[in-house]
Amino acid sequence: MTFAELANPGILTQPVYEPGKPIETVARELGLDPAGIIKLASNENPHGPSPKALAAAQRALQEAHLYPDGGYYALREKLAQKHGLGMNQFIIGDGSNELLELLGHAFLSPGKECVMHASAFVVYKLVALMFGAKPVEVPLGPGLKQDTSALLAAITPNTRLVFLASPANPTGVVNTAEEIAALIRALPPHVILVMDEAYIEFLENPPDLRPFIAEGRKVIGLRTFSKIYGLASLRVGYGYAAPELIAIVQRARQPFNVNAIASAAAVAALDDEEFVTRCRRENIAGLAQLASGFQALGLESVPGHGNFQLVKVGDGVAVFDALQRRGVITRPVKGYGLPEWLRVTVGTPAQNERLLAELKSALQR
Ligand SMILES: Cc1ncc(COP(=O)(O)O)c(C=O)c1O
């Protein structure tokens, strides 16, 4: 018998997540000097990690021989203070990706359905398929806008999870607080809204899920330290919700799912308001720099609200290749059903300038 014949049903057809290419890989494959390559492909923070988080991680490394606190008391305590919620309302994940998977463990199985938008962050679909559930995709509206009433209309008695990100990846679009509130209020009692807030810290006036959680609505917010806090490599994120929901998801979590260096860095990052404020301000300036640069090149772009922007370049994969040969790594989004678009992460002002210059020359050829 082959390994493939022994494998669980569905595993061989499970789609594989394709991450942005690391600088070293591109350098090796294309014979380029890694020092001359910039990566604007994975919505990382171009300003590096929060300095307070870096110092805390270095201190925590001294105790690398000890297991982490598997309950992540210090991090949950800090989160509880920051958000004005109970410690029992938080779960810590190995990135928010792991929390998406833990929700699958807790609520999905064959016959169940998950509702999401077309072109939504691909991990929602991967998680649904992994647990044998059916991903139900509803189309985006004009301007790639997310239509929350279409999400509601796609709910059936088998639906368990609805996934919504705002700002969304890869489109960068947002839903208003009113749209999110109306969605939450209209959810039937057998459905949980998974509100993916990976990019929420980039918004100046973010919507607030806490009143809905307090009202007993079925919603969980997911956040990450990978984006504005600049800790993507450490892999740490969190979920917040009603204590009963958190207690169920906790049952699916491995005891030491996040390492102690990451959790110490996350605690310190939450205190680094100055870094977060600076990154938010610089990101807003960077979005404007990219938008006006795209406009000057005569290219349509989607007004992004995260730390990235979608730009319509014609053949997305061809332009991605041409940029990569010039040492600028971006992300084609053909796999998201958007073959004419490229997703570009906001870099430093100099990186944005370089991207715009290389894009101009790539398009002229
Ligand atoms: C919308 C969205 N959700 C979740 C994640 C996962 O982030 P992480 O697992 O690094 O916390 C990402 C990462 O790019 C994302 O774009």
Side-chain angles (χ1 to χ4, degrees):
M1 256 197 166
T2 65
F3 291 117
E5 284 162 341
L6 294 170
N8 285 336
I11 197 72
L12 300 175
T13 51
Q14 175 71 12
V16 177
Y17 178 77
E18 277 194 37
K21 276 196 181 177
I23 288 178
E24 296 67 32
T25 310
V26 172
R28 197 171 54 241
E29 286 177 1
L30 297 177
L32 299 173
D33 174 5
I37 298 178
I38 58 170
K39 184 179 175 213
L40 302 175
S42 301
N43 304 341
E44 293 149 336
N45 190 330
H47 308 292
S50 140
K52 285 189 180 167
L54 191 58
Q58 278 160 346
R59 282 193 301 275
L61 209 44
Q62 306 302 317
E63 304 222 311
H65 58 297
L66 301 177
Y67 278 100
D69 164 16
Y72 303 103
Y73 189 96
L75 181 50
R76 287 188 304 114
E77 186 180 45
K78 178 67 73 182
L79 287 166
Q81 281 163 8
K82 183 181 164 72
H83 293 293
L85 296 170
M87 280 180 65
N88 59 353
Q89 295 190 262
F90 291 92
I91 179 168
I92 310 303
D94 187 43
S96 50
N97 270 351
E98 190 201 20
L99 297 167
L100 291 165
E101 184 178 340
L102 296 184
L103 284 161
H105 274 291
F107 295 105
L108 300 180
S109 56
K112 305 278 169 42
E113 296 173 8
C114 299
V115 176
M116 62 199 78
H117 279 106
S119 308
F121 183 51
V122 69
V123 174
Y124 313 150
K125 194 195 288 183
L126 300 190
V127 164
L129 293 171
M130 182 66 87
F131 292 96
K134 182 174 151 196
V136 176
E137 294 180 86
V138 306
L140 291 171
L144 307 183
K145 181 99 185 83
Q146 303 190 123
D147 178 355
T148 45
S149 48
L151 291 176
L152 279 173
I155 289 174
T156 74
N158 297 324
T159 308
R160 288 296 173 273
L161 302 178
V162 171
F163 293 101
L164 179 66
S166 179
N169 175 19
T171 59
V173 299
V174 278
N175 288 95
T176 63
E178 292 70 28
E179 287 167 343
I180 294 168
L183 172 64
I184 294 172
R185 292 217 167 91
L187 285 175
H190 64 284
V191 176
I192 301 165
L193 174 65
V194 182
M195 197 63 223
D196 184 342
E197 301 183 326
Y199 301 96
I200 197 163
E201 294 91 354
F202 292 104
L203 301 181
E204 285 184 301
N205 294 303
D208 187 354
L209 296 181
R210 291 170 299 180
F212 302 102
I213 293 172
E215 268 177 30
R217 303 282 175 181
K218 291 199 176 70
V219 58
I220 179 166
L222 301 184
R223 295 202 180 183
T224 180
F225 289 91
S226 300
K227 306 299 175 184
I228 210 160
Y229 295 105
L231 302 176
S233 160
L234 293 184
R235 312 301 306 128
V236 53
Y238 63 96
Y240 64 102
E244 302 75 26
L245 172 50
I246 293 296
I248 289 172
V249 188
Q250 290 281 21
R251 300 182 81 93
R253 185 179 68 82
Q254 292 293 321
F256 307 114
N257 58 327
V258 173
N259 69 73
I261 294 116
S263 66
V267 172
L270 289 168
D271 275 336
D272 204 345
E273 298 279 348
E274 193 190 324
F275 178 77
V276 170
T277 306
R278 176 165 72 85
C279 291
R280 183 182 304 119
R281 204 177 47 233
E282 299 217 5
N283 184 64
I284 290 170
L287 285 171
Q289 184 187 3
L290 287 179
S292 67
F294 295 145
Q295 195 179 17
L297 294 175
L299 300 173
E300 182 185 343
S301 64
V302 179
H305 297 270
N307 63 341
F308 54 91
Q309 207 141 44
L310 267 192
V311 56
K312 199 171 195 176
V313 292
D315 183 339
V317 173
V319 176
F320 157 78
D321 276 334
L323 283 172
Q324 197 161 256
R325 282 194 301 276
R326 290 166 163 81
V328 179
I329 316 173
T330 58
R331 194 69 159 268
V333 283
K334 189 178 175 190
Y336 282 96
L338 301 167
E340 297 174 304
W341 299 80
L342 265 193
R343 194 192 68 193
V344 178
T345 302
V346 174
T348 61
Q351 289 175 334
N352 299 335
E353 220 32 75
R354 163 113 183 261
L355 172 273
L356 291 167
E358 303 288 9
L359 182 57
K360 183 175 183 183
S361 88
L363 291 170
Q364 275 165 354
R365 291 204 63 242

